[in-house]
Amino acid sequence: MAFSNFLFKLRAFLLWSWLYLTIFWSILFLIILTYLKAPIELADKFKMAGMFLSTLTPKFYVALTGTSSLISGLILIFEWWYFRKYGTSFIEQVSLNHLSPWLGGGDTTGGESSTTLTNNNPQPSVSECKVWRNPLNLFRGSEYNRFKAATGKDPLTYYDMNLSAQDHQTFFTCEADAGKAEYEIMATAWRERNPEARIGAAKLALKTNPECAPALLLLAEEEASSILEAERLLKEALKAAEVNYRKSQQTQHQGPLMEAIHRRDTNVLICVKRRYAMCLRKLGKLKEAVKMFRDLTKEVPQILGVLNIQENLLEALLEMQAYADAQAVLAKYDDICLPKSAAICYTAALLKARAVADKFSPDVASGRGLTSAEMSAIEAIHRAVEFNPHVPKYLLETKPLILPPEHILKRGDSEAIAYSFFHLQHWKRVDGALHLLLCTWEGTFRMIPYPLEKGHLFYPYPTCTECADRELLPAFHEVSVYPKKELPFFILFTAGLCGPFNPPLS
């Protein structure tokens, strides 16, 4: 935290110093220009300058060139580091944000509005850059912590875990918790940064009330060292959550506070039931898991729109190889009025590819032409790639996978990782599906040459994904960027200035 504050202060200081240094050098240049305008002394100045230059030795030029190369090298290193971290050039950003308003006097908002009108294409709404909860997020104790212990690398970022803490406070607390010791303890536990403190608070809440479902849920998430242990704790939490739900259901109409308690108990029940079903899925109890996921998708509370449980159901059905049932789920959720996701689009592509992939050959198809089924499968792949262009590299294993984060950004690298982590095995199970993907996915980009300005089947690709993914994904992962950015001009310029220069010695 201290290091990030230091970097922020350093960046602010550099922005400030660059602005005032530019003003200083401009004033100094005007003073020198005014001084040299004297008509009597101008010729003498040129003569003196010529005499001075003629007396300089080659050593001076070598020293001058070495110094300029050193300064250019330092600027290049800083520019490259800034570009890798923030995806833009520091000099260009300062020029656009601080110098352009002075020199051009233009209004940035006017430019943005004119661009939108010129493109004649609706721009992506703010919701496209919204961070969503990962429907298939792993368990911290039995999965994320095991990875950290084995590799020494933290798979979750502070930003990601902070979003989870906010979710827990929103769904598992209410204004009626005041005066109830176990819920007051859990309200504190959800805000704790230290995992040991959260686990300790959950155990204390259980001592106060052995049927505190949120405390059992927290222990299953963070203390359980295996999926079996997490399943046992979640089974206890499910029984307690069902009892609390039935109690509050009978009194929910007695006032706003009772309604808030019932809403809290409903959220706890749904989350516990979902995580328990995910444990059953991981343990191979697929029929039980699918039944619970189906029951959950029939519920109507607002929290279901956040959890996207239909994606859990789709993944479990694909694991069972129940492709007809998966197609029925897609028919319900792959609707033009509903928000899309990589799981919806790529599962639709997989099911269509399954019908033709085992016999598909590019050479044969180019000779006889594409059949209607092959055309439909390729169009589904193009649709999926347009929605999230980062997924194919992970499915084709040309880019290494990492553990998925707890939150994802739709159409971003984080969503691609979360989808590929669980669905790669389903693509491998369908003969020829990955080969069909390999042969056809890059054809998508011919239909959308300018993805940031205009899309084909979806809105233009949002520009906010890179920054959000850098916050969600760990530092050891190289974030996938789309469309691929060219190196800024100033990096190439300073790299040229750093090149060796040998002045003449005579």
Side-chain angles (χ1 to χ4, degrees):
M1 190 70 181
F3 182 68
S4 61
N5 289 335
F6 171 74
L7 287 179
F8 178 77
K9 292 179 181 178
L10 177 63
R11 181 185 174 194
F13 172 75
L14 289 173
L15 288 171
W16 173 84
S17 62
W18 181 265
L19 178 63
Y20 285 94
L21 278 175
T22 304
I23 297 172
F24 172 75
W25 283 114
S26 302
I27 296 173
L28 184 61
F29 174 74
L30 292 175
I31 293 173
I32 294 174
L33 188 63
T34 305
Y35 176 70
L36 291 177
K37 274 185 178 179
I40 300 175
E41 299 180 359
L42 190 58
D44 294 337
K45 298 296 182 183
F46 278 113
K47 288 181 181 179
M48 290 178 61
M51 292 176 58
F52 173 73
L53 293 174
S54 64
T55 58
L56 295 176
T57 63
K59 292 183 179 179
F60 170 78
Y61 291 103
V62 173
L64 179 63
T65 306
T67 304
S68 62
S69 296
L70 176 63
I71 295 173
S72 300
L74 294 175
I75 296 174
L76 173 63
I77 292 172
F78 175 76
E79 275 282 298
W80 178 254
W81 169 82
Y82 194 88
F83 176 72
R84 295 282 293 182
K85 185 171 180 64
Y86 298 105
T88 185
S89 166
F90 173 76
I91 299 176
E92 288 180 4
Q93 188 179 21
V94 171
S95 302
L96 291 172
N97 294 341
H98 298 279
L99 299 182
S100 293
W102 289 4
L103 299 176
D107 187 8
T108 57
T109 58
E112 290 175 1
S113 60
S114 63
T115 302
T116 304
L117 293 175
T118 303
N119 292 338
N120 196 23
N121 200 63
Q123 294 301 308
S125 59
V126 179
S127 62
E128 289 203 28
C129 295
K130 174 185 175 182
V131 176
W132 297 76
R133 187 139 185 104
N134 181 6
L136 298 169
N137 64 305
L138 304 177
F139 288 83
R140 287 191 187 179
S142 55
E143 292 173 309
Y144 287 121
N145 288 348
R146 286 174 61 190
F147 174 84
K148 183 178 180 180
T151 62
K153 298 177 180 178
D154 201 335
L156 297 175
T157 62
Y158 171 74
Y159 175 69
D160 191 14
M161 293 188 288
N162 188 49
L163 289 176
S164 297
Q166 294 176 20
D167 293 340
H168 296 149
Q169 293 175 62
T170 301
F171 295 130
F172 302 152
T173 61
C174 68
E175 57 270 23
D177 289 341
K180 299 178 181 178
E182 66 272 24
Y183 287 105
E184 288 181 344
I185 294 171
M186 288 307 301
T188 305
W190 298 127
R191 293 193 297 267
E192 285 287 348
R193 294 185 183 179
N194 189 0
E196 287 77 13
R198 288 196 297 271
I199 293 171
K203 291 181 177 178
L204 181 60
L206 282 177
K207 289 181 180 178
T208 306
N209 180 7
E211 294 184 353
C212 181
L216 290 167
L217 175 62
L218 189 148
L219 292 179
E221 291 279 359
E222 302 201 24
E223 189 188 34
S225 58
S226 67
I227 298 297
L228 278 172
E229 187 178 354
E231 183 204 17
R232 179 184 61 80
L233 288 168
L234 286 170
K235 195 172 184 178
E236 295 180 21
L238 183 58
K239 292 179 181 178
E242 287 175 342
V243 171
N244 294 333
Y245 173 79
R246 284 193 290 268
K247 287 181 180 178
S248 61
Q249 188 179 29
Q250 298 173 358
T251 59
Q252 61 176 313
H253 302 296
Q254 295 180 5
L257 289 181
M258 303 307 294
E259 184 179 354
I261 292 174
H262 179 65
R263 185 166 56 249
R264 189 268 320 278
D265 290 342
T266 303
N267 293 339
V268 172
L269 176 62
I270 290 174
C271 286
V272 169
K273 200 171 184 179
R274 168 179 165 266
R275 294 303 269 173
Y276 181 62
M278 292 176 70
C279 280
L280 296 177
R281 156 67 185 91
K282 292 174 186 292
L283 294 173
K285 303 175 182 179
L286 297 176
K287 290 184 179 181
E288 298 175 45
V290 166
K291 184 180 182 304
M292 294 188 75
F293 286 138
R294 284 191 188 279
D295 292 341
L296 285 170
T297 55
K298 296 175 185 177
E299 302 289 341
V300 291
Q302 185 179 3
I303 190 174
L304 291 174
V306 178
L307 298 178
N308 292 319
I309 296 177
Q310 68 271 12
E311 297 188 17
N312 297 94
L313 176 59
L314 267 180
E315 198 279 328
L317 290 172
L318 290 176
E319 180 64 19
M320 291 177 65
Q321 301 184 41
Y323 298 114
D325 292 339
Q327 186 63 60
V329 174
L330 277 179
K332 180 179 179 182
Y333 291 99
D334 193 6
D335 186 85
I336 192 171
C337 300
L338 298 176
K340 299 294 181 290
S341 66
I344 296 292
C345 295
Y346 277 90
T347 301
L350 175 62
L351 294 179
K352 289 186 177 181
R354 177 174 168 268
V356 298
D358 58 337
K359 299 176 183 178
F360 179 78
S361 172
D363 298 331
V364 175
S366 61
R368 61 167 168 76
L370 295 171
T371 65
S372 59
E374 290 172 342
M375 182 65 73
S376 177
I378 293 173
E379 288 175 353
I381 289 176
H382 287 174
R383 171 178 179 260
V385 173
E386 182 184 353
F387 182 82
N388 194 317
H390 308 281
V391 172
K393 291 184 179 179
Y394 294 108
L395 292 179
L396 298 172
E397 299 182 274
T398 59
K399 188 173 175 63
L401 269 173
I402 61 170
L403 294 186
E406 292 184 338
H407 289 80
I408 59 173
L409 186 71
K410 288 191 175 183
R411 306 188 74 178
D413 191 28
S414 52
E415 185 191 32
I417 292 170
Y419 171 80
S420 304
F421 186 85
F422 292 97
H423 288 262
L424 175 58
Q425 57 181 332
H426 306 318
W427 280 80
K428 287 183 175 180
R429 189 177 290 127
V430 176
D431 292 337
L434 289 175
H435 177 66
L436 179 61
L437 178 67
L438 175 64
C439 296
T440 58
W441 76 279
E442 291 183 338
T444 309
F445 307 125
R446 289 194 292 269
M447 298 185 296
I448 43 173
Y450 305 103
L452 299 180
E453 300 176 10
K454 185 178 181 180
H456 179 59
L457 297 174
F458 298 100
Y459 283 114
Y461 190 79
T463 57
C464 60
T465 56
E466 181 184 356
C467 295
D469 280 333
R470 290 186 189 278
E471 295 287 339
L472 289 171
L473 299 172
F476 61 82
H477 172 72
E478 184 180 353
V479 175
S480 177
V481 179
Y482 175 80
K484 190 172 180 61
K485 292 184 178 179
E486 296 181 357
L487 287 176
F489 165 76
F490 281 102
I491 290 183
L492 301 175
F493 180 70
T494 52
L497 292 178
C498 292
F501 173 72
N502 298 319
L505 298 177
S506 59

PDB file of all heavy atoms in Angstrom, residues 212-235:
ATOM      1  N   CYS A 212     -25.636 -20.259  12.945  1.00  0.00           N
ATOM      2  CA  CYS A 212     -25.393 -19.041  12.174  1.00  0.00           C
ATOM      3  C   CYS A 212     -24.895 -19.447  10.781  1.00  0.00           C
ATOM      4  O   CYS A 212     -23.724 -19.793  10.593  1.00  0.00           O
ATOM      5  CB  CYS A 212     -24.372 -18.150  12.882  1.00  0.00           C
ATOM      6  SG  CYS A 212     -24.034 -16.604  12.026  1.00  0.00           S
ATOM      7  N   ALA A 213     -25.781 -19.413   9.800  1.00  0.00           N
ATOM      8  CA  ALA A 213     -25.445 -19.873   8.446  1.00  0.00           C
ATOM      9  C   ALA A 213     -24.341 -19.039   7.789  1.00  0.00           C
ATOM     10  O   ALA A 213     -23.453 -19.606   7.134  1.00  0.00           O
ATOM     11  CB  ALA A 213     -26.704 -19.873   7.579  1.00  0.00           C
ATOM     12  N   PRO A 214     -24.322 -17.695   7.914  1.00  0.00           N
ATOM     13  CA  PRO A 214     -23.224 -16.936   7.300  1.00  0.00           C
ATOM     14  C   PRO A 214     -21.850 -17.326   7.836  1.00  0.00           C
ATOM     15  O   PRO A 214     -20.868 -17.353   7.089  1.00  0.00           O
ATOM     16  CB  PRO A 214     -23.569 -15.478   7.642  1.00  0.00           C
ATOM     17  CG  PRO A 214     -25.050 -15.471   7.830  1.00  0.00           C
ATOM     18  CD  PRO A 214     -25.358 -16.794   8.451  1.00  0.00           C
ATOM     19  N   ALA A 215     -21.765 -17.656   9.129  1.00  0.00           N
ATOM     20  CA  ALA A 215     -20.481 -18.064   9.710  1.00  0.00           C
ATOM     21  C   ALA A 215     -20.027 -19.400   9.131  1.00  0.00           C
ATOM     22  O   ALA A 215     -18.844 -19.589   8.805  1.00  0.00           O
ATOM     23  CB  ALA A 215     -20.610 -18.150  11.229  1.00  0.00           C
ATOM     24  N   LEU A 216     -20.946 -20.347   8.999  1.00  0.00           N
ATOM     25  CA  LEU A 216     -20.596 -21.638   8.392  1.00  0.00           C
ATOM     26  C   LEU A 216     -20.181 -21.462   6.925  1.00  0.00           C
ATOM     27  O   LEU A 216     -19.257 -22.140   6.450  1.00  0.00           O
ATOM     28  CB  LEU A 216     -21.796 -22.588   8.494  1.00  0.00           C
ATOM     29  CG  LEU A 216     -22.141 -23.086   9.893  1.00  0.00           C
ATOM     30  CD1 LEU A 216     -23.516 -23.737   9.905  1.00  0.00           C
ATOM     31  CD2 LEU A 216     -21.093 -24.061  10.407  1.00  0.00           C
ATOM     32  N   LEU A 217     -20.848 -20.559   6.234  1.00  0.00           N
ATOM     33  CA  LEU A 217     -20.477 -20.289   4.843  1.00  0.00           C
ATOM     34  C   LEU A 217     -19.064 -19.730   4.745  1.00  0.00           C
ATOM     35  O   LEU A 217     -18.272 -20.150   3.889  1.00  0.00           O
ATOM     36  CB  LEU A 217     -21.488 -19.310   4.227  1.00  0.00           C
ATOM     37  CG  LEU A 217     -21.192 -18.811   2.808  1.00  0.00           C
ATOM     38  CD1 LEU A 217     -21.174 -19.970   1.825  1.00  0.00           C
ATOM     39  CD2 LEU A 217     -22.212 -17.762   2.381  1.00  0.00           C
ATOM     40  N   LEU A 218     -18.731 -18.789   5.620  1.00  0.00           N
ATOM     41  CA  LEU A 218     -17.383 -18.220   5.598  1.00  0.00           C
ATOM     42  C   LEU A 218     -16.328 -19.271   5.893  1.00  0.00           C
ATOM     43  O   LEU A 218     -15.264 -19.304   5.239  1.00  0.00           O
ATOM     44  CB  LEU A 218     -17.295 -17.058   6.600  1.00  0.00           C
ATOM     45  CG  LEU A 218     -16.025 -16.211   6.553  1.00  0.00           C
ATOM     46  CD1 LEU A 218     -16.332 -14.770   6.937  1.00  0.00           C
ATOM     47  CD2 LEU A 218     -14.912 -16.742   7.455  1.00  0.00           C
ATOM     48  N   LEU A 219     -16.583 -20.145   6.862  1.00  0.00           N
ATOM     49  CA  LEU A 219     -15.601 -21.197   7.184  1.00  0.00           C
ATOM     50  C   LEU A 219     -15.445 -22.166   6.018  1.00  0.00           C
ATOM     51  O   LEU A 219     -14.335 -22.637   5.731  1.00  0.00           O
ATOM     52  CB  LEU A 219     -16.044 -21.942   8.446  1.00  0.00           C
ATOM     53  CG  LEU A 219     -16.013 -21.142   9.751  1.00  0.00           C
ATOM     54  CD1 LEU A 219     -16.499 -22.003  10.916  1.00  0.00           C
ATOM     55  CD2 LEU A 219     -14.611 -20.634  10.045  1.00  0.00           C
ATOM     56  N   ALA A 220     -16.542 -22.477   5.338  1.00  0.00           N
ATOM     57  CA  ALA A 220     -16.449 -23.367   4.176  1.00  0.00           C
ATOM     58  C   ALA A 220     -15.642 -22.720   3.058  1.00  0.00           C
ATOM     59  O   ALA A 220     -14.886 -23.390   2.347  1.00  0.00           O
ATOM     60  CB  ALA A 220     -17.842 -23.729   3.682  1.00  0.00           C
ATOM     61  N   GLU A 221     -15.776 -21.426   2.905  1.00  0.00           N
ATOM     62  CA  GLU A 221     -15.065 -20.715   1.840  1.00  0.00           C
ATOM     63  C   GLU A 221     -13.577 -20.575   2.155  1.00  0.00           C
ATOM     64  O   GLU A 221     -12.736 -20.752   1.268  1.00  0.00           O
ATOM     65  CB  GLU A 221     -15.679 -19.324   1.640  1.00  0.00           C
ATOM     66  CG  GLU A 221     -17.072 -19.326   1.049  1.00  0.00           C
ATOM     67  CD  GLU A 221     -17.055 -19.487  -0.459  1.00  0.00           C
ATOM     68  OE1 GLU A 221     -15.963 -19.576  -1.041  1.00  0.00           O
ATOM     69  OE2 GLU A 221     -18.148 -19.536  -1.049  1.00  0.00           O
ATOM     70  N   GLU A 222     -13.234 -20.254   3.404  1.00  0.00           N
ATOM     71  CA  GLU A 222     -11.872 -19.813   3.678  1.00  0.00           C
ATOM     72  C   GLU A 222     -11.067 -20.739   4.585  1.00  0.00           C
ATOM     73  O   GLU A 222      -9.838 -20.744   4.500  1.00  0.00           O
ATOM     74  CB  GLU A 222     -11.915 -18.411   4.300  1.00  0.00           C
ATOM     75  CG  GLU A 222     -12.607 -17.398   3.401  1.00  0.00           C
ATOM     76  CD  GLU A 222     -12.237 -15.972   3.736  1.00  0.00           C
ATOM     77  OE1 GLU A 222     -11.160 -15.750   4.314  1.00  0.00           O
ATOM     78  OE2 GLU A 222     -13.039 -15.071   3.444  1.00  0.00           O
ATOM     79  N   GLU A 223     -11.710 -21.516   5.454  1.00  0.00           N
ATOM     80  CA  GLU A 223     -10.923 -22.368   6.351  1.00  0.00           C
ATOM     81  C   GLU A 223     -10.811 -23.800   5.842  1.00  0.00           C
ATOM     82  O   GLU A 223      -9.778 -24.458   6.050  1.00  0.00           O
ATOM     83  CB  GLU A 223     -11.540 -22.377   7.748  1.00  0.00           C
ATOM     84  CG  GLU A 223     -10.620 -23.064   8.763  1.00  0.00           C
ATOM     85  CD  GLU A 223     -11.285 -23.265  10.112  1.00  0.00           C
ATOM     86  OE1 GLU A 223     -12.509 -23.506  10.147  1.00  0.00           O
ATOM     87  OE2 GLU A 223     -10.572 -23.198  11.124  1.00  0.00           O
ATOM     88  N   ALA A 224     -11.836 -24.312   5.182  1.00  0.00           N
ATOM     89  CA  ALA A 224     -11.817 -25.698   4.712  1.00  0.00           C
ATOM     90  C   ALA A 224     -10.644 -25.921   3.767  1.00  0.00           C
ATOM     91  O   ALA A 224     -10.453 -25.171   2.811  1.00  0.00           O
ATOM     92  CB  ALA A 224     -13.128 -26.030   4.010  1.00  0.00           C
ATOM     93  N   SER A 225      -9.842 -26.933   4.036  1.00  0.00           N
ATOM     94  CA  SER A 225      -8.650 -27.205   3.232  1.00  0.00           C
ATOM     95  C   SER A 225      -8.913 -28.175   2.090  1.00  0.00           C
ATOM     96  O   SER A 225      -8.023 -28.460   1.305  1.00  0.00           O
ATOM     97  CB  SER A 225      -7.542 -27.767   4.131  1.00  0.00           C
ATOM     98  OG  SER A 225      -7.995 -28.943   4.783  1.00  0.00           O
ATOM     99  N   SER A 226     -10.129 -28.703   1.993  1.00  0.00           N
ATOM    100  CA  SER A 226     -10.484 -29.618   0.909  1.00  0.00           C
ATOM    101  C   SER A 226     -11.949 -29.412   0.543  1.00  0.00           C
ATOM    102  O   SER A 226     -12.727 -28.844   1.320  1.00  0.00           O
ATOM    103  CB  SER A 226     -10.244 -31.077   1.312  1.00  0.00           C
ATOM    104  OG  SER A 226     -11.142 -31.454   2.343  1.00  0.00           O
ATOM    105  N   ILE A 227     -12.314 -29.875  -0.645  1.00  0.00           N
ATOM    106  CA  ILE A 227     -13.702 -29.759  -1.091  1.00  0.00           C
ATOM    107  C   ILE A 227     -14.620 -30.612  -0.226  1.00  0.00           C
ATOM    108  O   ILE A 227     -15.767 -30.234   0.037  1.00  0.00           O
ATOM    109  CB  ILE A 227     -13.821 -30.152  -2.570  1.00  0.00           C
ATOM    110  CG1 ILE A 227     -12.974 -29.200  -3.441  1.00  0.00           C
ATOM    111  CG2 ILE A 227     -15.260 -30.128  -3.033  1.00  0.00           C
ATOM    112  CD1 ILE A 227     -13.431 -27.766  -3.394  1.00  0.00           C
ATOM    113  N   LEU A 228     -14.131 -31.759   0.254  1.00  0.00           N
ATOM    114  CA  LEU A 228     -14.943 -32.606   1.133  1.00  0.00           C
ATOM    115  C   LEU A 228     -15.298 -31.887   2.429  1.00  0.00           C
ATOM    116  O   LEU A 228     -16.438 -31.940   2.894  1.00  0.00           O
ATOM    117  CB  LEU A 228     -14.196 -33.905   1.435  1.00  0.00           C
ATOM    118  CG  LEU A 228     -14.283 -35.010   0.370  1.00  0.00           C
ATOM    119  CD1 LEU A 228     -13.334 -36.149   0.725  1.00  0.00           C
ATOM    120  CD2 LEU A 228     -15.709 -35.520   0.237  1.00  0.00           C
ATOM    121  N   GLU A 229     -14.307 -31.205   2.993  1.00  0.00           N
ATOM    122  CA  GLU A 229     -14.567 -30.464   4.222  1.00  0.00           C
ATOM    123  C   GLU A 229     -15.512 -29.288   3.958  1.00  0.00           C
ATOM    124  O   GLU A 229     -16.397 -28.990   4.768  1.00  0.00           O
ATOM    125  CB  GLU A 229     -13.247 -29.962   4.804  1.00  0.00           C
ATOM    126  CG  GLU A 229     -13.392 -29.315   6.173  1.00  0.00           C
ATOM    127  CD  GLU A 229     -12.065 -28.866   6.737  1.00  0.00           C
ATOM    128  OE1 GLU A 229     -11.010 -29.159   6.128  1.00  0.00           O
ATOM    129  OE2 GLU A 229     -12.076 -28.202   7.793  1.00  0.00           O
ATOM    130  N   ALA A 230     -15.321 -28.622   2.822  1.00  0.00           N
ATOM    131  CA  ALA A 230     -16.223 -27.518   2.466  1.00  0.00           C
ATOM    132  C   ALA A 230     -17.651 -28.021   2.273  1.00  0.00           C
ATOM    133  O   ALA A 230     -18.610 -27.363   2.689  1.00  0.00           O
ATOM    134  CB  ALA A 230     -15.722 -26.834   1.198  1.00  0.00           C
ATOM    135  N   GLU A 231     -17.799 -29.211   1.676  1.00  0.00           N
ATOM    136  CA  GLU A 231     -19.129 -29.782   1.485  1.00  0.00           C
ATOM    137  C   GLU A 231     -19.807 -30.065   2.828  1.00  0.00           C
ATOM    138  O   GLU A 231     -21.002 -29.785   3.007  1.00  0.00           O
ATOM    139  CB  GLU A 231     -19.035 -31.065   0.669  1.00  0.00           C
ATOM    140  CG  GLU A 231     -20.400 -31.682   0.374  1.00  0.00           C
ATOM    141  CD  GLU A 231     -20.332 -33.177   0.102  1.00  0.00           C
ATOM    142  OE1 GLU A 231     -19.304 -33.797   0.441  1.00  0.00           O
ATOM    143  OE2 GLU A 231     -21.318 -33.731  -0.410  1.00  0.00           O
ATOM    144  N   ARG A 232     -19.047 -30.589   3.775  1.00  0.00           N
ATOM    145  CA  ARG A 232     -19.620 -30.891   5.091  1.00  0.00           C
ATOM    146  C   ARG A 232     -20.114 -29.608   5.765  1.00  0.00           C
ATOM    147  O   ARG A 232     -21.233 -29.565   6.310  1.00  0.00           O
ATOM    148  CB  ARG A 232     -18.561 -31.575   5.953  1.00  0.00           C
ATOM    149  CG  ARG A 232     -19.045 -31.916   7.366  1.00  0.00           C
ATOM    150  CD  ARG A 232     -17.928 -32.492   8.206  1.00  0.00           C
ATOM    151  NE  ARG A 232     -16.820 -31.570   8.361  1.00  0.00           N
ATOM    152  CZ  ARG A 232     -16.815 -30.548   9.238  1.00  0.00           C
ATOM    153  NH1 ARG A 232     -17.870 -30.326  10.013  1.00  0.00           N
ATOM    154  NH2 ARG A 232     -15.761 -29.777   9.323  1.00  0.00           N
ATOM    155  N   LEU A 233     -19.304 -28.548   5.730  1.00  0.00           N
ATOM    156  CA  LEU A 233     -19.699 -27.294   6.360  1.00  0.00           C
ATOM    157  C   LEU A 233     -20.891 -26.665   5.644  1.00  0.00           C
ATOM    158  O   LEU A 233     -21.797 -26.115   6.286  1.00  0.00           O
ATOM    159  CB  LEU A 233     -18.516 -26.326   6.362  1.00  0.00           C
ATOM    160  CG  LEU A 233     -17.370 -26.660   7.331  1.00  0.00           C
ATOM    161  CD1 LEU A 233     -16.145 -25.809   7.047  1.00  0.00           C
ATOM    162  CD2 LEU A 233     -17.827 -26.456   8.771  1.00  0.00           C
ATOM    163  N   LEU A 234     -20.903 -26.745   4.322  1.00  0.00           N
ATOM    164  CA  LEU A 234     -22.008 -26.158   3.576  1.00  0.00           C
ATOM    165  C   LEU A 234     -23.306 -26.936   3.783  1.00  0.00           C
ATOM    166  O   LEU A 234     -24.400 -26.355   3.735  1.00  0.00           O
ATOM    167  CB  LEU A 234     -21.653 -26.103   2.084  1.00  0.00           C
ATOM    168  CG  LEU A 234     -20.631 -25.039   1.693  1.00  0.00           C
ATOM    169  CD1 LEU A 234     -20.166 -25.224   0.269  1.00  0.00           C
ATOM    170  CD2 LEU A 234     -21.221 -23.636   1.874  1.00  0.00           C
ATOM    171  N   LYS A 235     -23.194 -28.236   4.018  1.00  0.00           N
ATOM    172  CA  LYS A 235     -24.392 -29.023   4.311  1.00  0.00           C
ATOM    173  C   LYS A 235     -25.020 -28.568   5.626  1.00  0.00           C
ATOM    174  O   LYS A 235     -26.247 -28.436   5.736  1.00  0.00           O
ATOM    175  CB  LYS A 235     -24.024 -30.505   4.376  1.00  0.00           C
ATOM    176  CG  LYS A 235     -25.217 -31.443   4.328  1.00  0.00           C
ATOM    177  CD  LYS A 235     -24.763 -32.888   4.195  1.00  0.00           C
ATOM    178  CE  LYS A 235     -25.954 -33.826   4.059  1.00  0.00           C
ATOM    179  NZ  LYS A 235     -25.519 -35.238   3.891  1.00  0.00           N
TER     180      LYS A 235
END
